[in-house]
């Protein structure tokens, strides 16, 4: 930490710089180093998450140090989202896949309940005549459950089958509503990601122009400082603005990449179909 400030400390000892200027230089250096350490900590956490995601061994996760050499060009030009992506891509989403399976199960359960609601009795007997069971039921003189209570209760199950059909219908409707809501939510996420992608590209272009102008400002300020036209604090303020602009540009570049990830997540796994999929 003392090495970058050695020149200023030497000039301070020689009486060329006041102590206030030296302390401000040291404070700026300490602030920049603090930002660097925070970035290194975030990098370490990202490496750990990536190691777990790709299935590294516990030893490798504890060791850390994810190999570098990434494509730096991705920061300036994230992957382009192709045109005419079909809407049925969202069927791969885990939430829609689960609800679609539940909807099929609820549909088959409803059909089974509807088939089970009819009395289970034989309608015809020998030679196509009316069966004995049906004849006994139709010949009951009263339905007050006095004489034919056993037969009627057995056939109609005291309304339990009818209630089971209603419950199956309600369950099927509930799952269908959840499925439709999940589909609408997926389209909303896709739309939001596409809008955010366009806005993030505009933010990055604006920050890129800002950094370009700040670089020029720093070039001018550093030369003027060396020539003695401006003071050290003015030069430091210009360099501080440049550093802040570069950090903002890095955040904008990260935002562009995050938007592509959001879009892939909204689709349920990117825009490329797996081999053998419909």
């Amino acid at each position: 930490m003392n090495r970058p400030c050695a020149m200023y400390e030497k000039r301070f000892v020689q009486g060329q710089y006041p102590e206030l200027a030296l302390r401000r230089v040291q404070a700026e250096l300490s602030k920049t180093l603090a930002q660097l350490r925070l970035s290194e900590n975030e990098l370490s956490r990202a490496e750990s998450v990536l190691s777990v995601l790709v299935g590294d061994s516990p030893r490798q996760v504890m060791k850390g140090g994810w190999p570098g050499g990434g494509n730096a060009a991705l920061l300036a030009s994230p992957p382009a989202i192709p045109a005419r992506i079909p809407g049925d891509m969202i069927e791969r989403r885990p939430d829609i896949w689960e609800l679609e399976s539940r909807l099929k199960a609820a549909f088959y359960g409803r059909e089974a309940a509807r088939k089970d609601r009819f009395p289970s009795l034989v309608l015809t007997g020998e030679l196509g005549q009316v069966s004995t069971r049906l004849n006994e039921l139709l010949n009951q003189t009263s339905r007050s459950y006095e004489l034919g209570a056993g037969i009627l209760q057995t056939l109609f199950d005291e309304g339990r089958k009818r209630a089971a059909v209603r419950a199956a219908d309600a369950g099927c409707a509930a799952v269908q509503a959840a499925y439709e809501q999940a589909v609408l939510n997926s389209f909303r996420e896709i739309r939001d990601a596409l809008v955010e992608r366009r806005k993030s590209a505009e933010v990055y272009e604006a920050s890129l122009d800002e950094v370009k102008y700040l670089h020029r400002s720093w070039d001018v300020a550093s030369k003027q400082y060396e020539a003695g036209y401006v003071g050290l604090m003015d030069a430091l303020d210009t360099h501080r603005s440049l550093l802040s602009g570069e950090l903002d540009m890095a955040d904008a570049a990260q935002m562009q990449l995050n938007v592509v990830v959001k879009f892939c997540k909204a689709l349920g796994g990117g825009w490329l179909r797996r081999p053998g999929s419909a």
Side-chain angles (χ1 to χ4, degrees), residues 7-9 11-22 225 232:
M7 178 184 66
Y8 301 102
E9 291 176 350
R11 292 182 179 181
F12 166 71
V13 173
Q14 294 174 351
Q16 298 180 8
Y17 282 123
E19 183 179 1
L20 177 61
L22 174 63
Y225 168 70
L232 176 62

Side-chain angles (χ1 to χ4, degrees), residues 173-214:
V175 176
Q176 183 175 1
Y179 175 79
E180 294 174 354
Q181 185 63 36
V183 171
L184 291 176
N185 184 63
S186 66
F187 286 134
R188 177 191 61 79
E189 292 179 357
I190 291 173
R191 179 189 179 278
D192 292 346
L194 291 175
V195 173
E196 188 175 350
R197 171 178 173 268
R198 176 169 55 86
K199 295 300 181 181
S200 64
E202 295 174 355
V203 171
Y204 179 79
E205 290 298 326
S207 63
L208 191 63
D209 291 339
E210 178 188 7
V211 170
K212 180 178 66 176
Y213 297 138
L214 289 173

Side-chain angles (χ1 to χ4, degrees), residues 11 17 218-231 235:
R11 292 182 179 181
Y17 282 123
W218 167 242
D219 290 339
V220 174
S222 59
K223 293 178 180 178
Q224 290 181 346
Y225 168 70
E226 293 174 357
Y229 292 112
V230 298

